[in-house]
């Protein structure tokens, strides 16, 4: 899949669905940084905080290139679509979402314990000027075990309703393959990864060595969030990134 440039932000992206892209990578002369909020901020407050933060850094609003969200519980398919329409309203106002094309990567998961309400921001990424000496960086958007294409989620989910070890193995393998595909599209691989995050409430320890470690999918270790993917029926999600600088704000 060829990438497209987003000139207003200084990055290129993998075209995806209307709510997010498949991933982003910094263009020459720029780098991607990640900022995690010290506390979760409701969606509107998070957008406002990001706008103010980028202004303080002297960066245009188009530098915003990836979002990490949290939700109270898994959505129905219709509910997820409605939430995504609300989410892209601000991106449209910022001039980022245009003609049905969204360059911003995203993950959105549901903590299984002490879930937040309403849906908040957890972290975000943005581009900055780079002197050429450091890593430009990339972010591959989160993906659950649903095949792309037409049809409902129920029709596209790998091993729907199967949380057995064999079922989880197929789910983990599918998602890791998708991460590889997205990274390859951006011009990267597992050796470039500085952070691997997974989201599931199921025990994948029996699969960890063969499906993740031996694949080279956690060169910098693994962050396991006890959370579910955003849509009912999904059991496992992963996202990866390769960044030189991350901070808490």
């Amino acid at each position: 899949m060829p990438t497209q440039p987003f000139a207003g932000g200084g990055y290129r992206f993998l075209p995806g669905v209307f709510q997010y892209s498949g991933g982003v990578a910094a263009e020459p002369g720029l780098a991607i940084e990640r900022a995690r909020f010290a506390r979760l901020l409701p969606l509107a407050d998070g957008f406002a905080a990001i706008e103010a933060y980028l202004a303080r850094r002297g960066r245009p609003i188009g530098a915003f290139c990836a979002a990490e969200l949290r939700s109270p519980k898994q959505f129905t398919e219709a509910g997820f679509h409605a939430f995504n329409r609300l989410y892209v309203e601000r991106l449209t106002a910022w001039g980022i979402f245009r003609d049905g094309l969204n360059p911003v990567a995203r993950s959105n998961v549901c903590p299984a314990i002490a879930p937040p309400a309403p849906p908040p921001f957890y972290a975000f990424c943005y581009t900055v000027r780079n002197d050429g000496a450091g890593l430009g960086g990339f972010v591959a958007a989160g993906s659950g075990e649903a095949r792309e294409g037409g049809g409902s989620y129920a029709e596209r989910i790998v091993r729907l309703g199967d949380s057995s070890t064999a079922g989880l193995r197929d789910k983990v393998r599918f998602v890791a393959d998708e991460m590889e595909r997205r990274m390859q599209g951006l011009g990267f691989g597992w050796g470039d990864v500085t952070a691997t995050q997974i989201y599931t409430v199921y025990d994948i320890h029996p699969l960890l060595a063969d499906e993740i470690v031996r694949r080279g999918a956690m060169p910098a270790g693994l962050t396991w969030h006890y959370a579910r993917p955003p849509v009912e029926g999904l059991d496992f999600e992963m996202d990866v990134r390769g960044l030189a600088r991350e901070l808490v704000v």
Side-chain angles (χ1 to χ4, degrees):
M1 181 186 299
T3 59
Q4 294 188 24
F6 183 66
Y11 62 90
R12 61 189 184 276
F13 67 97
L14 288 169
V17 289
F18 85 90
Q19 61 263 37
Y20 52 80
S21 71
V24 296
E27 292 284 47
L30 292 108
I32 295 175
E33 293 183 352
R34 177 180 183 263
R36 178 171 64 82
F37 287 115
R39 60 182 181 86
L40 299 176
L41 291 180
L43 201 63
D45 294 342
F47 275 124
I50 291 167
E51 190 167 12
Y53 177 84
L54 292 177
R56 290 194 302 271
R57 293 290 303 270
R59 297 297 297 148
I61 197 63
F64 173 66
C65 63
E68 296 176 53
L69 309 180
R70 297 293 184 262
S71 289
K73 63 179 182 178
Q74 288 185 306
F75 293 94
T76 64
E77 192 160 348
F80 192 51
H81 184 82
F83 170 80
N84 289 326
R85 285 296 177 193
L86 177 65
Y87 165 76
V88 301
E89 284 181 1
R90 183 63 66 93
L91 300 186
T92 302
W94 282 352
I96 294 175
F97 180 77
R98 304 170 186 168
D99 302 320
L101 193 63
N102 192 343
V104 177
R106 197 185 81 182
S107 65
N108 180 13
V109 297
C110 311
I113 296 174
F121 261 97
Y122 176 75
F124 64 100
C125 294
Y126 53 94
T127 59
V128 295
R129 292 293 175 190
N130 185 12
D131 61 10
L135 179 70
F138 75 93
V139 178
S143 175
E145 74 277 16
R147 300 178 181 89
E148 294 185 353
S152 68
Y153 271 94
E155 295 170 311
R156 296 186 285 115
I157 291 175
V158 174
R159 302 288 288 260
L160 177 65
D162 185 355
S163 58
S164 68
T165 299
L168 290 171
R169 184 181 301 277
D170 285 348
K171 294 170 186 284
V172 171
R173 187 175 295 170
F174 174 87
V175 173
D177 285 346
E178 179 63 15
M179 289 296 101
E180 288 186 2
R181 186 183 74 86
R182 293 182 181 185
M183 284 191 290
Q184 288 169 1
L186 294 168
F188 297 91
W190 290 118
D192 302 302
V193 169
T194 60
T196 301
Q197 298 188 122
I198 64 169
Y199 311 89
T200 188
V201 299
Y202 294 103
D203 181 13
I204 65 157
H205 186 265
L207 316 174
L208 194 63
D210 289 340
E211 302 302 332
I212 296 180
V213 180
R214 287 194 172 93
R215 185 188 284 259
M218 45 178 285
L222 183 72
T223 300
W224 185 336
H225 297 264
Y226 194 69
R228 293 182 171 89
V231 179
E232 292 176 349
L234 293 173
D235 294 324
F236 181 81
E237 182 158 335
M238 175 185 281
D239 59 48
V240 298
R241 60 185 183 269
L243 305 177
R245 187 168 187 261
E246 302 192 15
L247 60 156
V248 177
V249 297

